[in-house]
Amino acid sequence: MTAADLAAAHALSAELRWPHRPADWEQVFPLAEGVVAERDGAVLATALRWPWGPRHATVGLVMVSPACQGRRIGHRLMSALLDGLEGHSVLLHATPEGRGLYERLGFVRIGEVRQHQGTALPAPLVALEPGWRLRPAGSSDAAALKVLDAAARGMPRDGLVDELLASADATVVLDHEGEAKGFAMLRRFGRGHIIGPVVAPDAEGAKALIAHLSGLSAGRFVRIDIDFASGLAEWLEGLGLQRVDAPTTMVRGEPPATAPGTRLFALATQALG
C-alpha cells in the first residue's frame, strides 16, 4: 500500500459505512505498513499494521469490499501482513465477522472493547484527592506522556504520541504533586471528536480526565472506545455516550506486558490500540 492508495481506501471505508475521514487515513498511514488487493487497478481490500518497537505491532483497517467477501481475500491479506512478525506480540480489535479469520491465524481473545458515542452532555467535574489536579499538557510533557503510554499499552509508541499531541484539540494531564500520572486527548475523528487515548492510575483518575474533555465537547458528537473491564460503560452513558459496538480484543503471541499502577482506559483508535 502506498499514499496513492489512500483515496481508494477511504472510498472503501465509506462503502462499508466506517466513519473515517480522508484526514483520518492520512494521519495514521505514515506510521503504518500495509497491503491492498487490486483487480483491474481498483482497490478491493486493505490491511495495515503498525510496528511499535522491535517486538510489538497492532493491526487494523482490514477491509474487503462487500462484493468480494467470502473469497478468502482477507485471509490472504492478513497472511501477507503477518509475514515477518513471527515472535512479535500482535494486537487487534475484531468485529464479529472477522473474529473467525483471526482465530484461524492464531489470534486468541484477551478482552473486549466498548465503543460509546453520541452528543456529549455537560459533565460534572470529578473531585480529586488533595495533591491531584488536571492541567493542560505542554511541550515539556511529551517525554512523560510517551512513558505513560508505553507503560499502559505495553508497547513503545513514541511516534504516535508525537503525532497525536500535534493534532489534538486538547490534551489534559493528571498531575500528582508535579508529576504526570495520566493523560487524555481530544481530537477530530470520524463524525466529530474522539477521546483517547486515556491513561490513568485508576478509574477515578480516568473519569476526571474524560469528564473534563467531554465537558469541553458538550453539544457535539463524541466517541470513546474503552476497555470493557474498566467498568466505565454505565458512567459514560450518563454523559450521553451510548454503547454502539463491542469489538473483541485479540492477540497473537504474548499479551503486551503493562506496568502496575498505570492503565489504558480508552484506545487511541481501534486500529492503533
Side-chain angles (χ1 to χ4, degrees):
M1 186 174 181
T2 71
D5 296 310
L6 288 176
H10 171 254
L12 179 57
S13 63
E15 181 183 8
L16 293 169
R17 299 186 181 276
W18 289 20
H20 299 69
R21 305 169 301 147
D24 298 325
W25 279 94
E26 291 164 5
Q27 181 177 47
V28 300
F29 182 71
L31 301 170
E33 301 166 351
V35 290
V36 300
E38 283 186 345
R39 183 176 63 195
D40 298 329
V43 173
L44 306 176
T46 67
L48 281 78
R49 70 185 188 189
W50 289 266
W52 306 118
R55 297 184 294 108
H56 298 91
T58 52
V59 166
L61 297 174
V62 180
M63 304 183 299
V64 179
S65 171
C68 299
Q69 291 176 6
R71 302 182 186 180
R72 293 181 59 82
I73 294 174
H75 188 281
R76 292 162 66 185
L77 284 179
M78 282 296 299
S79 296
L81 206 62
L82 293 171
D83 185 33
L85 293 181
E86 297 80 7
H88 283 62
S89 170
V90 184
L91 187 78
L92 59 78
H93 295 95
T95 63
E97 297 79 12
R99 182 171 171 177
L101 164 64
Y102 302 132
E103 288 174 341
R104 291 190 291 275
L105 291 168
F107 286 84
V108 297
R109 177 190 179 280
I110 59 169
E112 295 181 24
V113 167
R114 290 292 186 270
Q115 179 182 330
H116 288 254
Q117 63 189 42
T119 301
L121 300 174
L125 297 181
V126 175
L128 295 171
E129 295 292 329
W132 293 83
R133 67 185 179 108
L134 299 182
R135 60 171 176 81
S139 58
S140 61
D141 289 306
L145 301 195
K146 291 172 185 177
V147 171
L148 286 168
D149 180 76
R153 179 70 284 179
M155 54 187 79
R157 306 191 299 179
D158 289 8
L160 175 62
V161 174
D162 282 335
E163 170 58 33
L164 297 184
L165 274 172
S167 62
D169 287 6
T171 301
V172 61
V173 174
L174 178 65
D175 184 289
H176 182 244
E177 297 182 349
E179 182 179 358
K181 293 292 188 178
F183 71 95
M185 296 180 176
L186 174 73
R187 66 187 199 281
R188 285 294 312 277
F189 178 82
R191 294 169 55 190
H193 285 75
I194 189 168
I195 296 174
V198 176
V199 173
D202 53 35
E204 288 306 301
K207 287 180 179 180
L209 290 163
I210 295 167
H212 177 80
L213 295 180
S214 180
L216 294 180
S217 307
R220 297 188 293 180
F221 182 88
V222 173
R223 168 176 170 171
I224 184 169
D225 296 83
I226 61 164
D227 176 5
F228 179 57
S230 67
L232 298 182
E234 184 175 349
W235 177 78
L236 286 171
E237 291 177 357
L239 301 182
L241 307 179
Q242 303 301 313
R243 193 197 96 174
V244 297
D245 202 5
T248 301
T249 306
M250 306 186 76
V251 70
R252 193 181 80 157
E254 290 295 321
T258 58
T262 306
R263 181 170 179 176
L264 186 71
F265 283 84
L267 309 179
T269 66
Q270 291 181 24
L272 298 169

